[in-house]
Amino acid sequence: MMISWKRVNAILQKDFKDFSRNLAVSSVIFVPIISGAFYGRMGVDSIDTHFMLVNMTFGMVAAFVQCCLIAEEKEKNTLRGLMLSPASTADILGGKSLLTFIMTMVVVFFTIYLAEYKPANFVIIAAAIVLSSFFYIALGTLLGLYSKSVLEASVIVMPVIIVFSLGSFITLVVEKYPILQVATYLPNIQLVELATKVEAGAGFGDVLVEFAIILGWVIASLILTVVIYRKRMVD
């Protein structure tokens, strides 16, 4: 499927204007950055804490902002217009996701910089963060398609923020509650395990399993999002 970058750019510019006007949504991007500065000044230097901040960014920026942007389009009845326009599914979903992706990467960078996290292998960690962001953006899009308003979107996305921000600590109670072993395959926990291996000196070949699991989540979320989006087109 071909993507029209002119249409994607037009959607990107429109989303940026809408985002900058909505202070209730745009203000959340500062929470991970402030948290990173706080933990950095405290001298906290553990992988779990660093990636709690990264996963918090995914929840608050990638998922929350994306969910609210989609819900706002629905609330204003402008998403229907986009669906009925000559723009393809790739144009619309790509354009609606590009602003969120850029903001997520910027916020992640400043958060880990202020938290003074220096990965042992920057390339592997950067690749894992970029890959993981696709899952959260797709999840935010999916939740936005189910939301009827920005207010409803801000409520429906809260469990995502909580589960994926603090979910990495579930590994501490897995031995006590074996049923929670399934949760260790969540993408946020796989990201922590990948980072832990990298800090121990692992190379790209040593973390292929973690990459594969995260990629599986990305593919599944993208497919589900496209299916639900196209279903909304004919509702």
Side-chain angles (χ1 to χ4, degrees):
M1 183 182 294
M2 296 297 293
I3 295 180
S4 170
W5 291 108
K6 184 176 181 180
R7 290 170 181 163
V8 169
N9 183 55
I11 295 173
L12 171 64
Q13 292 184 36
K14 175 186 176 299
D15 279 352
F16 178 75
K17 292 177 182 178
D18 292 340
F19 174 78
S20 60
R21 294 192 192 105
N22 194 332
L23 294 178
V25 176
S26 58
S27 59
V28 302
I29 68 174
F30 297 104
V31 176
I33 296 175
I34 294 172
S35 299
F38 175 74
Y39 281 107
R41 301 297 80 78
M42 287 181 62
V44 177
D45 189 25
S46 69
I47 291 297
D48 285 333
T49 301
H50 288 316
F51 278 86
M52 179 193 73
L53 294 172
V54 172
N55 286 317
M56 180 193 298
T57 303
F58 287 146
M60 289 189 169
V61 182
F64 178 81
V65 171
Q66 181 71 0
C67 182
C68 289
L69 287 175
I70 298 294
E72 187 175 19
E73 291 280 13
K74 289 186 66 180
E75 190 174 10
K76 294 179 178 178
N77 291 320
T78 52
L79 184 60
R80 179 68 61 187
L82 280 174
M83 289 178 170
L84 298 176
S85 71
S88 66
T89 299
D91 293 338
I92 296 171
L93 293 182
K96 299 297 295 181
S97 302
L98 186 55
L99 176 64
T100 306
F101 175 75
I102 293 172
M103 287 192 300
T104 301
M105 293 300 103
V106 171
V107 175
V108 166
F109 172 79
F110 281 106
T111 299
I112 63 177
Y113 174 78
L114 292 173
E116 300 181 357
Y117 170 50
K118 298 178 177 63
N121 191 316
F122 176 81
V123 175
I124 294 178
I125 296 299
I129 287 175
V130 170
L131 182 62
S132 297
S133 70
F134 297 151
F135 165 75
Y136 291 93
I137 292 173
L139 183 58
T141 303
L142 185 63
L143 294 175
L145 291 171
Y146 277 106
S147 304
K148 297 178 181 179
S149 65
V150 175
L151 179 60
E152 183 177 329
S154 62
V155 174
I156 200 173
V157 79
M158 286 307 296
V160 172
I161 296 175
I162 294 172
V163 170
F164 289 101
S165 296
L166 304 176
S168 58
F169 292 102
I170 200 171
T171 54
L172 301 175
V173 295
V174 164
E175 291 184 3
K176 187 175 181 180
Y177 302 100
I179 194 173
L180 295 178
Q181 184 69 35
V182 178
T184 60
Y185 291 95
L186 289 172
N188 57 322
I189 296 179
Q190 290 299 308
L191 183 60
V192 175
E193 291 186 2
L194 181 149
T196 302
K197 287 185 177 181
V198 168
E199 289 304 305
F204 185 78
D206 301 311
V207 293
L208 285 178
V209 172
E210 287 77 12
F211 266 112
I213 294 174
I214 295 173
L215 179 61
W217 280 100
V218 171
I219 294 173
S221 61
L222 288 175
I223 292 174
L224 185 58
T225 299
V226 171
V227 169
I228 298 300
Y229 174 83
R230 290 181 173 174
K231 184 177 183 297
R232 290 289 184 266
M233 291 179 67
V234 297
D235 279 350

